[in-house]
Amino acid sequence: MEPFKIHILGCGSALPTLSHYASSQVVEIREKLFMVDCGEGTQMQLRRNKIRFTKLQAVFISHLHGDHCFGLIGMISTFGMLGRTAPFHVYAPEALGPILQIQLDFFCKGLGFEVKFHPIDTTRKIVIYEDRSLTVETIPLEHRTPTCGFLFREKPKLRHINREMIDCYEVPLSQLNNIRAGMDWTTPEGVIIPNERLTTPADPSRAYAYCSDTRYIPTLHELITGVDTLYHESTYAEDNASRAQLYWHSTARQAATVARDAHVGKLLLGHFSARYDDDKCLLDEAKAVFENSWLTNEGLVFNV
């Protein structure tokens, strides 16, 4: 099965600490790399995690709070110094467009590549990126500024060739792609060989949902039902539920409730408040509701 991994670069919240970097992840899928959020210090984390700058195709910015986007212009500048030539795509709320252009004009004159900005509507669930193997959809969230999450979903895969049966019926190599796509094979004698005899089932398609800063949304699970892995912010424990409500964030228990109601495979917790010296209290709280919960931490890699 092709790799589908989540590289955690930063999982802290707005206030800097010595424990965590600001929000950023890299989604690795079928040898393609996509960044989700780009807080301050992200490019240093790329170095530490040995992720090649030149392989990043795009960044998806969930909202315009500094701990999710202050690292963007510095990273783009570094791309230029490294001699990047491939276009770099930025998907973000519309308000970032003119701000980013001012920064590019002032700090990044003479870039050898194009920065393509794609404004996104954070209020609708819509496909904003698509290629032959993947779609990325927005997930509307509720925060103090326009915010959305992102749903990375593999497209249905081709079936696997059963080599023994292909050889048995002397299917020519030129027909293998058609067989993978589901076609039957007709022998020179006119006998139809069902596709199910020539192939084995395709690997299941996988999905990853990234839910950035948001207050608890009781209906959120309807948009992410059945995803293999869910990242949901868990800034506070229940002892600070009033603070979570005030600042439009979620508690670990609320994140776990979304995971439980959405029947996801596993839950990743992140965006931890600086008030917690030990994040384990958040994990314990989440596990009481949804057992397969995990703390994110810089340098960890999760398989979807």
Side-chain angles (χ1 to χ4, degrees):
M1 189 175 290
E2 294 282 347
F4 192 166
K5 301 178 180 180
I6 311 303
H7 300 259
I8 306 300
L9 304 184
C11 56
S13 55
L15 189 64
T17 72
L18 297 177
S19 301
H20 295 300
Y21 279 76
S23 293
S24 186
Q25 301 180 3
V26 168
V27 178
E28 176 187 354
I29 177 169
R30 299 192 183 188
E31 299 185 354
K32 297 186 286 276
L33 297 182
F34 303 94
M35 179 173 285
V36 184
D37 283 335
C38 188
E40 187 178 0
T42 290
Q43 58 180 322
M44 296 300 296
Q45 289 296 88
L46 289 173
R47 289 290 195 201
R48 285 194 176 94
N49 290 274
K50 297 180 171 57
I51 297 173
R52 291 177 59 187
F53 285 61
T54 54
K55 292 194 69 176
L56 286 169
Q57 296 185 210
V59 60
F60 298 86
I61 302 295
S62 63
H63 64 291
L64 303 187
H65 281 165
D67 55 321
H68 294 258
C69 62
F70 276 172
L72 180 58
I73 191 62
M75 186 174 69
I76 291 174
S77 176
T78 298
F79 286 165
M81 289 187 284
L82 292 174
R84 184 187 181 106
T85 57
F88 184 63
H89 298 266
V90 178
Y91 296 82
E94 184 175 10
L96 181 61
I99 299 171
L100 179 61
Q101 191 58 56
I102 291 172
Q103 292 178 315
L104 290 171
D105 292 342
F106 191 86
F107 294 110
C108 301
K109 294 178 181 178
L111 283 180
F113 63 96
E114 182 181 3
V115 177
K116 294 186 176 182
F117 181 75
H118 305 267
I120 58 178
D121 182 351
T122 62
T123 66
R124 295 195 299 154
K125 186 175 188 287
I126 188 173
V127 174
I128 57 173
Y129 173 89
E130 182 173 12
D131 60 29
R132 291 192 303 174
S133 60
L134 170 74
T135 61
V136 182
E137 300 174 60
T138 49
I139 305 171
L141 299 174
E142 297 179 5
H143 194 41
R144 303 190 308 278
T145 189
T147 305
C148 68
F150 302 102
L151 176 56
F152 292 78
R153 190 185 300 277
E154 287 182 311
K155 290 183 176 179
K157 303 174 186 177
L158 298 177
R159 294 176 66 85
H160 296 291
I161 291 294
N162 185 329
R163 176 55 62 181
E164 289 185 2
M165 300 305 291
I166 291 293
D167 293 342
C168 175
Y169 290 106
E170 298 181 344
V171 179
L173 293 177
S174 62
Q175 295 302 306
L176 292 189
N177 284 338
N178 291 332
I179 300 297
R180 288 191 185 94
M183 290 185 61
D184 300 329
W185 167 246
T186 303
T187 68
E189 295 76 27
V191 178
I192 297 177
I193 310 302
N195 185 269
E196 290 77 10
R197 191 178 299 175
L198 301 171
T199 62
T200 57
D203 295 329
S205 296
R206 296 160 291 179
Y208 172 59
Y210 174 90
C211 291
S212 178
D213 298 16
T214 183
R215 66 177 180 180
Y216 172 63
I217 305 174
T219 57
L220 179 58
H221 67 277
E222 298 173 2
L223 301 181
I224 57 174
T225 297
V227 301
D228 298 88
T229 302
L230 165 66
Y231 171 90
H232 192 294
E233 75 118 289
S234 51
T235 308
Y236 299 106
E238 283 293 314
D239 62 342
N240 278 284
S242 60
R243 184 174 291 272
Q245 183 177 7
L246 176 64
Y247 293 109
W248 294 56
H249 282 296
S250 298
T251 67
R253 176 177 291 275
Q254 290 170 336
T257 301
V258 174
R260 181 198 63 196
D261 294 347
H263 306 290
V264 307
K266 64 174 171 280
L267 168 66
L268 307 182
L269 305 170
H271 200 265
F272 307 127
S273 170
R275 69 183 53 247
Y276 299 107
D277 294 326
D278 186 351
D279 304 325
K280 188 176 181 298
C281 65
L282 301 170
L283 180 62
D284 292 341
E285 183 173 292
K287 279 181 168 290
V289 176
F290 185 77
E291 176 62 29
N292 200 17
S293 298
W294 299 79
L295 290 175
T296 57
N297 201 12
E298 287 74 7
L300 291 182
V301 181
F302 294 91
N303 288 307
V304 173

